[in-house]
Amino acid sequence: MKFVYYISTIALLLNLSACRKFVEVADPKDELASKVVFSSDATATAAVVGIYADMNAVNYQFANVLTTFLGSMSADDFVYAATFANFDEFKNNAIQPGNPYVATFWSQPYNYIYRANAIIEGAGKSTELSPAVKNQVMGEAYFIRAFCHFYLVNLFGDVPLILTADVRKNTNLPRTPKAEVYASVINDLKLAKDLLVNTYAGNGERTRPNKVAATLMLARAYLYTGQNALAETEASNVIATTGYSLLDNADPANAAHLSKAFLKNSNETVWQLQVVNLSLGRNTWEGNTIVPVSSPLYRMTKDTYGIIPAFETGDRRLAYWINTYAAPATPTNILYYPYKYKVRVGTVGSPATEYSMVLRFSEAFLIRAEARIQQQKYDLGRDDLNVIRRRAGLTDLASPTSIATGMAKVEQERRVELFCEWGHRWFDLKRWPSTTGAAGKTRADDILPLTKPAWKSTAQLFPIPTEAIRSNVNLTPNPGYNQ
């Protein structure tokens, strides 16, 4: 079975039946041909929205629980308290190539990339779509392709770059150097930014990427590739856009309180995935999985180097984004679990109140702060960090006196702001250089051995899945894995 195994052709014409919540389109009576999909605004829209529906249709997928939970377990702020071999491999940074979740991290993004390519090609050739819908669906498809390649390259390093829907051409593609993948991600996000508009398509909910989502991801991609001036510019563009704000009211009953940040369509939302499966009152898979009935299995780290001691006294994020459970013991053992999502099971039959957050407005301030400090714009970088801190009820920082002291503040604020969101902490530790000056080492090499004695630098990349190696003669393993 070739590489095509991971970019399932069955999904090519995009599961219109799964899109009913977004666009009311009758299912075709036979297999759709591309020219049929892109012969009307309704079917073309259903094609792109179907990708989001599939991203969030079931639990433990790349686009919901897995990237957030296993990314956090791979770092240092989150553990699974029971014994489960497939999770333990991430917690211990000793992942086996046959781990089924590694296969999911690989196969699902490539599936969405393939479908995005089909939309780019089909909509691009169509003469029947209205100009507005054509721009919208192509812009979203470029965004999806960039988003998925971004996560693939951060999880696996060099990965095949798939830019067409031609499965024969894509079979047995070798790994593309990381720099080239990033260049493609940036190009796709620039195309998406040009094609999309600031308003949200469809019913106006923030569940389809818009120009602001593309701009925020572009700022992140520039930051990750060291293009700090460009990252600053794009983050500033996000911050200057009306309709977004940090929820910072001090009164928990107020709709603008930070405890409301993860509600559906909150002003802090740049892009969320809408709930697809509302059975039994589910809102988000994250909340349904992590909010416990009694003792939590998913717990925040609280030892000396854990995230709980990292919060400063009075930080509202600790008060409102993390919850506690008093385990029966003598003395009482206080357990901590993420509480950004607060609904485990809502009222059956009632509308959801929370959607899964993918991109959040606060990241723009953190990106700009880091980009400015890297350019030695210390006062401006401090100001951005202080915006985040004031919302959390903390005192202002003084200006850093060097890049090193400024980056220590950036690392702290990113850790306590973005915990348990889409692998941010894991990616940060891997992308920042070691502060010890050791050549080729990263912050992961500084930090993770403190709590993970068996840590090896090669664990910074996940293994290429066993099935991918077996099915593609041109794929090579990552260093440190015996494949």
Side-chain angles (χ1 to χ4, degrees):
M1 196 177 297
K2 301 294 185 181
F3 182 72
V4 64
Y5 173 85
Y6 290 97
I7 49 175
S8 170
T9 58
I10 296 174
L12 170 59
L13 297 170
L14 309 174
N15 299 328
L16 293 180
S17 62
C19 309
R20 293 288 183 95
K21 298 182 75 66
F22 302 87
V23 182
E24 289 296 330
V25 178
D27 290 339
K29 298 188 181 301
D30 54 12
E31 185 179 24
L32 287 171
S34 181
K35 64 181 181 180
V36 176
V37 173
F38 301 104
S39 65
S40 77
D41 288 353
T43 51
T45 298
V48 72
V49 173
I51 299 177
Y52 312 134
D54 285 354
M55 280 182 166
N56 209 33
V58 295
N59 203 354
Y60 291 99
Q61 305 301 299
F62 154 73
N64 49 50
V65 164
L66 288 185
T67 302
T68 287
F69 288 17
L70 298 186
S72 291
M73 287 186 208
S74 297
D76 58 349
D77 55 8
F78 189 70
V79 295
Y80 186 68
T83 299
F84 179 43
N86 290 332
F87 281 2
D88 289 346
E89 291 178 12
F90 289 88
K91 180 176 68 176
N92 298 324
N93 302 105
I95 305 170
Q96 298 303 305
N99 187 300
Y101 296 125
V102 171
T104 299
F105 278 128
W106 180 272
S107 64
Q108 288 187 351
Y110 275 121
N111 176 282
Y112 305 139
I113 287 168
Y114 175 72
R115 293 162 68 176
N117 286 334
I119 292 167
I120 292 166
E121 294 172 10
K125 294 175 184 176
S126 175
T127 60
E128 298 172 276
L129 300 180
S130 68
V133 168
K134 185 172 187 173
N135 285 346
Q136 181 69 37
V137 299
M138 289 186 67
E140 289 182 69
Y142 281 120
F143 175 91
I144 292 165
R145 187 169 76 179
F147 182 85
C148 291
H149 275 127
F150 174 90
Y151 274 89
L152 285 165
V153 81
N154 275 281
L155 294 171
F156 297 101
D158 299 347
V159 291
L161 180 63
I162 307 297
L163 300 178
T164 77
D166 186 340
V167 295
R168 290 169 296 183
K169 180 178 180 180
N170 295 333
T171 297
N172 289 334
L173 278 180
R175 300 172 70 173
T176 305
K178 180 178 178 178
E180 292 181 32
V181 179
Y182 262 119
S184 178
V185 166
I186 288 169
N187 185 62
D188 279 351
L189 290 170
K190 290 164 70 175
L191 291 169
K193 182 182 172 185
D194 288 342
L195 289 166
L196 296 172
V197 296
N198 285 346
T199 55
Y200 287 91
N203 60 8
E205 292 198 299
R206 301 184 179 198
T207 54
R208 292 174 63 184
N210 65 349
K211 181 188 289 287
V212 182
T215 306
L216 183 55
M217 276 301 299
L218 182 58
R220 189 196 296 181
Y222 280 140
L223 186 76
Y224 276 40
T225 53
Q227 300 178 76
N228 294 303
L230 292 171
E232 179 186 5
T233 296
E234 298 302 335
S236 295
N237 289 337
V238 173
I239 292 166
T241 307
T242 59
Y244 301 88
S245 62
L246 297 180
L247 304 187
D248 61 0
N249 191 283
D251 180 4
N254 192 290
H257 189 260
L258 88 167
S259 64
K260 312 295 196 300
F262 291 80
L263 294 179
K264 67 179 183 180
N265 305 311
S266 76
N267 261 25
E268 200 150 330
T269 299
V270 175
W271 178 38
Q272 292 174 320
L273 287 174
Q274 181 178 339
V275 59
V276 176
N277 187 342
L278 264 172
S279 62
L280 303 179
R282 295 184 186 95
N283 279 209
T284 67
W285 290 113
E286 293 84 356
N288 185 251
T289 303
I290 209 166
V291 177
V293 174
S294 56
S295 179
L297 286 175
Y298 298 95
R299 302 174 186 174
M300 308 303 297
T301 53
K302 63 175 186 175
D303 57 14
T304 303
Y305 303 105
I307 188 171
I308 297 303
F311 284 92
E312 296 172 54
T313 301
D315 193 325
R316 294 176 187 155
R317 293 168 293 196
L318 178 60
Y320 293 105
W321 287 357
I322 292 177
N323 209 352
T324 61
Y325 174 83
T330 303
T332 301
N333 182 21
I334 302 299
L335 306 176
Y336 299 82
Y337 61 91
Y339 201 49
K340 289 178 172 178
Y341 301 101
K342 306 185 188 313
V343 179
R344 181 179 183 275
V345 178
T347 302
V348 176
S350 297
T353 59
E354 295 178 341
Y355 290 163
S356 295
M357 188 74 75
V358 186
L359 296 175
R360 194 155 60 84
F361 186 57
S362 65
E363 187 187 351
F365 289 96
L366 293 168
I367 288 172
R368 193 169 70 174
E370 181 176 345
R372 285 173 163 176
I373 286 169
Q374 288 288 349
Q375 298 173 83
Q376 301 182 15
K377 299 179 180 180
Y378 298 133
D379 289 351
L380 292 174
R382 170 210 60 195
D383 291 346
D384 283 330
L385 293 177
N386 284 338
V387 169
I388 300 295
R389 290 176 61 82
R390 288 171 196 155
R391 186 269 286 274
L394 300 176
T395 58
D396 283 357
L397 298 171
S399 287
T401 56
S402 66
I403 291 177
T405 57
M407 284 302 298
K409 300 301 183 182
V410 167
E411 180 175 336
Q412 163 67 13
E413 291 307 318
R414 287 184 66 91
R415 186 182 192 190
V416 295
E417 177 72 21
L418 299 175
F419 67 89
C420 291
E421 290 184 56
W422 279 89
H424 279 289
R425 174 67 171 171
W426 176 233
F427 292 173
D428 285 347
L429 291 178
K430 298 192 302 172
R431 69 185 176 88
W432 288 327
S434 168
T435 59
T436 68
K441 298 296 184 179
T442 68
R443 284 296 285 156
D445 293 306
D446 296 343
I447 296 293
L448 296 185
L450 299 174
T451 54
K452 304 182 181 191
W455 168 260
K456 296 179 181 178
S457 290
T458 52
Q460 295 182 70
L461 295 178
F462 289 173
I464 305 299
T466 298
E467 181 61 27
I469 292 287
R470 288 175 178 172
S471 63
N472 182 345
V473 297
N474 292 318
L475 281 183
T476 55
N478 271 327
Y481 297 99
N482 184 20
Q483 291 179 269

